[in-house]
């Protein structure tokens, strides 16, 4: 079973959550990059300072000595062996201290630079993750737009003659799927390619031919429902999946009106096509081209009324339309 509109809304919420999470990850990573770069700069300063201090300490210990030989002479000139050892050990302690500091600082710099590379690599991955998450949100938004026809009443048309209800229901469905009042001359549609002046039968086949002739064959699907639609429950499932249904019934049906009144039973002894486009809270919504918008736009059928409508004839020649 295809995704219902409810499924798509749930999917949209999950997609938005994933997108916002990816954005947060990206922001945290960017902040971590800045923090690490600041630390690297600080460590470089510390390393330079340690090297400078080591150099200054060496100069101070050597004093005026310009070679290791002079340093040895200085040690030999000490008052005692203890003084010479103390002098030498003092030098070694200072030297070892700064060498140890330099080594640790360099290790810290290497660690931070490795972290920086990891963060930069993650930055690239997160950029792709954000882009993918955003695309998913846009794709689901598009799917919801294609499946949500709750504004269908706006596309109502009054049929232009007494025999083109099928073509009128079809073209109203086309406009709903396009979300655009693009085709408003339903007589021209009825008289055009595919229908050729007859929309009382094979609406799925004829509608497909019309779509192909008008460059919409790759955009909108129009197909006869295999096995027909014979119950309100079947119709509900089609509508919940974002499909528009062109369908007819006969003399036993009671046809509802948008103003809350009902047409007398037997109003259409030879049958009549209308287009159902939305289901919500137990109500089925249709546009009926036999009457003007005040009575035919957004006609509500309750579950009970819908079941009665189906019982008006055994065959309904249901046609399913949807965006490909």
């Amino acid at each position: 079973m295809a995704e219902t509109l409810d499924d798509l809304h749930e999917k949209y919420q999950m997609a938005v959550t994933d997108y916002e999470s990816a954005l947060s990850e990206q922001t945290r990573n960017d902040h971590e990059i800045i923090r690490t770069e600041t630390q690297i700069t600080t460590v470089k300063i510390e390393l330079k300072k340690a090297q400078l201090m080591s150099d200054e300490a060496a100069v101070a210990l050597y004093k005026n000595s310009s070679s290791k030989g002079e340093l040895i002479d200085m040690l030999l000139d000490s008052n005692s062996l203890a003084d010479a050892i103390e002098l030498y050990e003092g030098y070694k302690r200072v030297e070892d201290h700064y060498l140890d500091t330099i080594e640790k600082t360099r290790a810290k710099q290497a660690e931070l630079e490795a972290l920086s590379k990891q963060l930069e690599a993650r930055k690239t991955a997160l950029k792709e993750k954000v882009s993918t998450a955003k695309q998913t949100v846009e794709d689901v938004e598009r799917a919801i737009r294609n499946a949500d026809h709750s504004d269908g009443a706006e596309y109502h048309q009054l049929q232009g003659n007494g025999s083109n209800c099928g073509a009128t229901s079809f073209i109203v469905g086309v406009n709903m799927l396009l979300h655009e009042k693009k085709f408003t001359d339903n007589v021209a549609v009825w008289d055009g390619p595919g229908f050729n002046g007859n929309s009382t039968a094979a609406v799925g086949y004829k509608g497909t031919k019309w779509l192909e002739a008008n460059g919409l064959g790759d955009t909108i699907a129009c197909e006869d429902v295999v096995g027909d639609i014979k119950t309100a429950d079947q119709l509900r499932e089609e509508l919940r999946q974002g499909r528009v249904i062109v369908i007819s019934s006969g003399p036993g049906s009671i046809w509802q009106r948008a103003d809350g009144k009902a047409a007398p039973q037997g109003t259409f002894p030879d049958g009549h096509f209308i287009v159902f486009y939305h289901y919500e809270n137990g109500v089925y919504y249709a546009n009926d081209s036999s009457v003007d918008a005040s009575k035919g736009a957004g006609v509500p059928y309750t579950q009970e009324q819908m079941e009665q409508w189906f019982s008006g004839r055994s065959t309904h020649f249901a046609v399913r339309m949807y965006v490909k």
Side-chain angles (χ1 to χ4, degrees):
M1 183 180 293
E3 290 179 306
T4 68
L5 193 54
D6 288 340
D7 292 335
L8 288 173
H9 280 297
E10 183 177 347
K11 189 174 181 179
Y12 176 74
Q13 292 301 323
M14 293 174 62
V16 169
T17 299
D18 288 344
Y19 176 55
E20 291 175 345
S21 176
L23 282 176
S24 296
E25 278 189 84
Q26 187 181 52
T27 299
R28 288 195 299 270
N29 194 71
D30 287 344
H31 288 167
E32 187 67 14
I33 287 173
I34 294 171
R35 189 175 73 86
T36 302
E37 288 175 346
T38 301
Q39 286 181 310
I40 289 173
T41 300
T42 301
V43 167
K44 285 181 177 179
I45 293 172
E46 290 174 356
L47 179 59
K48 187 175 181 180
K49 182 179 179 181
Q51 289 172 330
L52 181 62
M53 291 294 289
S54 178
D55 292 342
E56 289 178 350
V59 170
L61 286 168
Y62 275 101
K63 294 187 178 180
N64 296 321
S65 300
S66 58
S67 68
K68 289 186 178 179
E70 292 183 7
L71 179 60
I72 292 172
D73 290 340
M74 180 180 68
L75 294 174
L76 293 174
D77 290 338
S78 299
N79 294 327
S80 66
L81 179 60
D83 289 343
I85 292 173
E86 184 177 354
L87 178 64
Y88 177 76
E89 289 181 345
Y91 166 76
K92 284 297 295 178
R93 281 197 300 273
V94 171
E95 181 184 46
D96 290 345
H97 168 74
Y98 284 111
L99 288 176
D100 183 58
T101 300
I102 290 170
E103 184 179 348
K104 289 181 179 178
T105 305
R106 283 176 176 165
K108 187 175 181 181
Q109 180 181 346
E111 181 183 340
L112 288 169
E113 287 176 345
L115 175 60
S116 179
K117 287 181 180 179
Q118 292 176 6
L119 292 171
E120 287 294 338
R122 191 162 184 264
K123 180 179 181 179
T124 301
L126 284 172
K127 183 178 180 181
E128 180 64 26
K129 184 176 181 179
V130 168
S131 178
T132 299
K134 182 180 180 183
Q135 186 62 54
T136 300
V137 170
E138 293 173 354
D139 289 344
V140 179
E141 284 178 338
R142 188 179 304 108
I144 290 174
R145 176 175 170 80
N146 289 338
D148 186 357
H149 311 297
S150 55
D151 62 346
E154 298 177 15
Y155 300 94
H156 174 272
Q157 290 184 27
L158 181 65
Q159 62 195 59
N161 60 45
S163 58
N164 77 328
C165 59
T168 303
S169 296
F170 162 79
I171 202 61
V172 168
V174 169
N175 286 340
M176 287 178 187
L177 293 170
L178 294 176
H179 292 278
E180 179 183 359
K181 295 178 182 178
K182 187 172 183 178
F183 303 100
T184 57
D185 189 343
N186 53 70
V187 174
V189 173
W190 172 78
D191 199 35
F195 292 102
N196 298 312
N198 186 334
S199 64
T200 59
V203 173
Y205 172 79
K206 294 176 179 180
T208 297
K209 292 299 180 183
W210 186 93
L211 290 167
E212 291 173 352
N214 287 271
L216 292 171
D218 293 332
T219 303
I220 294 175
C222 179
E223 56 194 34
D224 294 311
V225 177
V226 177
D228 205 3
I229 295 177
K230 298 183 178 182
T231 68
D233 290 347
Q234 285 179 288
L235 176 62
R236 179 178 67 248
E237 289 310 305
E238 293 285 341
L239 297 176
R240 289 181 68 239
Q241 291 174 37
R243 297 160 179 171
V244 170
I245 303 297
V246 175
I247 192 169
S248 71
S249 200
S253 298
I254 296 176
W255 300 75
Q256 302 301 317
R257 298 292 183 235
D259 61 5
K261 299 177 182 178
Q265 186 171 351
T267 297
F268 299 106
D270 299 320
H272 175 58
F273 276 101
I274 61 174
V275 54
F276 282 91
Y277 59 85
H278 186 57
Y279 171 84
E280 186 175 1
N281 297 327
V283 180
Y284 302 77
Y285 293 90
N287 281 352
D288 189 335
S289 63
S290 67
V291 288
D292 63 24
S294 65
K295 294 182 179 181
V299 180
Y301 283 79
T302 65
Q303 183 73 19
E304 183 180 357
Q305 290 167 341
M306 198 75 258
E307 291 170 355
Q308 190 287 323
W309 185 89
F310 273 104
S311 70
R313 190 169 67 186
S314 60
T315 305
H316 302 284
F317 307 106
V319 173
R320 174 192 297 128
M321 298 174 65
Y322 55 90
V323 175
K324 291 183 176 180

